[in-house]
């Protein structure tokens, strides 16, 4: 048997590492400088989409198996609990119908524009990033379903984030907790408006530039204000958990807990802007001053329709 040489005379692996680092640097530079890379990323995501679906199969099988092997008594208890929840929601729905009628009557008396239901599509979680410095997820809806960049995403409890990248069959969502995500909010109790920014942790966000004398308390609910026209107003964002007044400082340190279940929810809603006829009714005020929010919404609808025509 020939003796294997102790030292290899092949090319050093450092050269391969160098070329890989160089190629990665070139790709990152091109992605930063050229918008054409968005199309390349979308095409690559179409190739990765089947792999994401295959990866999610074991989790779906485990959920199905757990449901199939559940104890009968557990199913009976869950059924009873769901019936009680349906009864509670039905009671709230009856009160909501009465409040909706009163609100419509008051708006008619004040000659204010009527609010309409926001269209949406449902989505399911495909994958959740494990990077501690990036809080993003991938859902199973793409531009073939009407998804677009900047689209708001909510779950059953509040705002989750917004879409940042779209391919044919999936979309990447930047979560509310990410340190690079910020949005305008208002205190539901008194209407004060602030900016909420992610703190890099799932269970906490920061409320920026809160004056030390501002009327904000622990337990206050923060909702979307509708400013800038990207997020529709009235959706829960977070609830204030701590207000710290530092003596001698002009701003208080305020933290809040996101209302959405960012680490537990699997089903989401992707919201669409209001219908075009609603924008045409409200885009001009009495003084013929154009509304910035309505203008942004109209521009988004135009981009969405152009993308739909390209797909067709």
């Amino acid at each position: 048997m020939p003796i294997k040489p102790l030292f290899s005379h092949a090319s050093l692996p450092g050269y391969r590492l160098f070329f890989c680092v160089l190629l990665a640097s070139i790709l990152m530079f091109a992605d930063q400088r050229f918008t054409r890379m968005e199309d390349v990323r979308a095409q690559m995501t179409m190739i990765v989409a089947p792999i994401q679906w295959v990866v999610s199969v074991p989790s779906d099988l485990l959920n199905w198996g757990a449901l199939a092997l559940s104890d009968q008594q557990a199913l009976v208890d869950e059924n009873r609990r769901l019936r009680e929840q349906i009864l509670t929601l039905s009671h709230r729905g009856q009160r909501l119908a009465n409040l909706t009628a009163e609100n419509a009557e008051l708006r008619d008396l004040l000659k204010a524009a009527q609010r309409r239901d926001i269209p949406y599509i449902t989505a399911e979680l495909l994958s959740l990033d494990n990077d501690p410095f990036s809080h993003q997820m991938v859902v199973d809806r793409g531009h073939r379903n009407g998804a677009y960049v900047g689209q708001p995403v909510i779950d059953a409890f509040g705002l989750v984030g917004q879409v940042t990248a779209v391919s044919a069959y999936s979309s990447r969502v930047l979560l509310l907790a990410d340190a690079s995500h910020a949005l305008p909010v208002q205190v539901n109790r008194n209407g004060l408006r602030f900016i909420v920014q992610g703190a890099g942790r799932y269970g906490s966000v920061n409320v920026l530039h809160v004056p030390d004398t501002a009327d904000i308390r622990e337990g206050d609910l923060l909702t979307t204000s509708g400013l800038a026209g990207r997020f529709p107003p009235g959706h829960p964002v977070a609830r204030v958990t701590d207000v710290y007044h530092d003596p001698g400082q002009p701003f208080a340190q305020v933290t809040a807990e996101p209302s959405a279940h960012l680490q537990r929810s699997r089903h989401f809603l992707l919201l669409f802007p209001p219908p075009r006829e609603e924008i045409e009714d409200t885009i001009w005020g009495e003084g013929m001053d154009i509304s910035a929010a309505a203008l942004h919404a109209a521009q988004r609808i135009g981009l969405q329709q152009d993308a739909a025509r390209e797909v067709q």
Side-chain angles (χ1 to χ4, degrees), residues 45-88:
T45 308
M46 292 179 60
I47 301 176
V48 177
I51 301 177
Q52 293 175 333
W53 292 335
V54 171
V55 170
S56 63
V57 167
S59 176
D60 296 337
L61 290 178
L62 288 176
N63 294 333
W64 178 83
L67 181 62
L69 300 176
S70 295
D71 184 67
Q72 182 180 3
Q73 184 60 40
L75 293 177
V76 171
D77 294 339
E78 183 179 5
N79 189 17
R80 175 175 49 81
R81 185 171 63 254
L82 291 177
R83 287 180 180 274
E84 294 177 355
Q85 185 177 3
I86 291 175
L87 183 61
T88 302

Side-chain angles (χ1 to χ4, degrees), residues 15-29:
Y15 288 107
R16 293 193 293 269
L17 176 62
F18 172 76
F19 284 119
C20 290
V21 172
L22 180 61
L23 179 60
S25 301
I26 293 174
L27 290 176
M28 288 188 293
F29 177 81

